[in-house]
Amino acid sequence: MSSTATPPPATRSRKRKGGEGLRIHQAIARKLGIAILNGTYEPGSSLGGEIEASERLGVSRTAYREAIRILIAKGLIESRPKAGTHVLPRRRWNLLDPDILAWMFSEKPDRDFVRDLFELRGIIEPEAAALAAARRHDGHLALMRQALDGMRVHGLACGEGQAADQDFHSTMLEAAGNDALTSLIGSVGAAVRWTTHFKQSNSPVPRNSLPEHEAVHQAIAAGDPDGARRAMKVLLEYARSDVVDSIA
């Protein structure tokens, strides 16, 4: 592949699948971000000059410049005077950024990335569930029950049900009573949202994960750290298998 990849086709529309309602610079950042994540732009490759790139994309230089700032903040690219704008090595990418997770799952995600994501969740969430079982209060349990009810009523095929699923995991992290874990709510919540959305959209008959969520809630409500840890491990293993099967 040449050092300067050809940008994706230009678009002036703000209504795109997975990017509805985005402003122009946000839509361009999404388009370029997806192209970087899927390998259209490889690490080290150039995005070209500002004038040339903005003309190819059919946007103003101001919109393009704002899009580049977004990608720089997410660790995907760097821009230096005279050296130009280049894609950074993958180790520099902020893969837990909610936007990057959304972009990654807007297409068929890489199996290795899915493995890495669930390994990370497997390190974080079972222990968070154990802490939640020891530290939760009634308000946490009520919010988790409300989230479970939302999942049951709406189902996970729609946005409301997926939001309830995300709320369940976010509340569990908050219930752990650890500020460092609480700071991960945005990233873990985005991972839950987009993995669930992907498997629901790509599985012929998506499996109902509500029973595993119920088991986690019951163990936390019972004040059983070991049981909560085990239940969350089971939930994550099923979820990982669901997503991997959806990729095939």
Side-chain angles (χ1 to χ4, degrees), residues 8-207:
T11 176
R12 296 181 183 275
S13 173
R14 297 186 184 186
K15 297 292 185 179
R16 289 295 181 212
K17 182 180 179 181
E20 289 81 354
L22 295 180
R23 299 179 65 181
I24 291 297
H25 69 280
Q26 295 170 325
I28 294 302
R30 179 179 184 274
K31 182 183 294 292
L32 293 174
I34 290 172
I36 291 169
L37 294 171
N38 69 20
T40 300
Y41 291 107
E42 295 180 340
S45 63
S46 171
L47 270 63
E50 179 181 297
I51 297 175
E52 176 190 10
S54 60
E55 289 178 350
R56 287 178 179 172
L57 291 164
V59 298
S60 69
R61 291 174 62 184
T62 299
Y64 180 76
R65 198 177 300 125
E66 288 299 317
I68 291 300
R69 290 195 180 106
I70 291 174
L71 299 180
I72 290 173
K74 298 180 187 302
L76 294 177
I77 63 174
E78 66 176 357
S79 183
R80 296 181 179 179
K82 298 183 180 179
T85 303
H86 293 82
V87 179
L88 288 170
R90 189 181 178 92
R91 67 178 181 277
R92 300 277 298 276
W93 300 354
N94 183 6
L95 291 174
L96 293 181
D97 179 275
D99 285 335
I100 289 183
L101 286 169
W103 299 342
M104 186 72 77
F105 282 94
S106 67
E107 300 181 347
K108 185 166 70 172
D110 179 78
R111 281 178 175 267
D112 288 342
F113 175 73
V114 170
R115 178 204 64 197
D116 292 348
L117 186 61
F118 275 98
E119 284 180 353
L120 179 63
R121 290 183 63 188
I123 293 169
I124 295 170
E125 292 189 81
E127 294 308 315
L131 288 174
R135 299 174 178 175
R136 89 291 184 278
H137 55 63
D138 290 345
H140 292 132
L141 295 177
L143 288 174
M144 293 176 74
R145 170 49 58 191
Q146 181 178 323
L148 291 170
D149 291 342
M151 293 168 65
R152 180 179 297 104
V153 170
H154 299 292
L156 291 177
C158 69
E160 292 86 349
Q162 292 167 17
D165 185 13
Q166 186 173 349
D167 288 343
F168 178 89
H169 290 264
S170 297
T171 302
M172 184 203 69
L173 287 175
E174 184 177 349
N178 181 299
D179 286 344
L181 283 173
T182 301
S183 71
L184 298 176
I185 284 177
S187 296
V188 172
V192 170
R193 176 184 178 186
W194 292 110
T195 53
T196 300
H197 176 79
F198 181 82
K199 67 187 180 184
Q200 289 291 322
S201 301
N202 292 275
S203 297
V205 183
R207 187 185 59 82

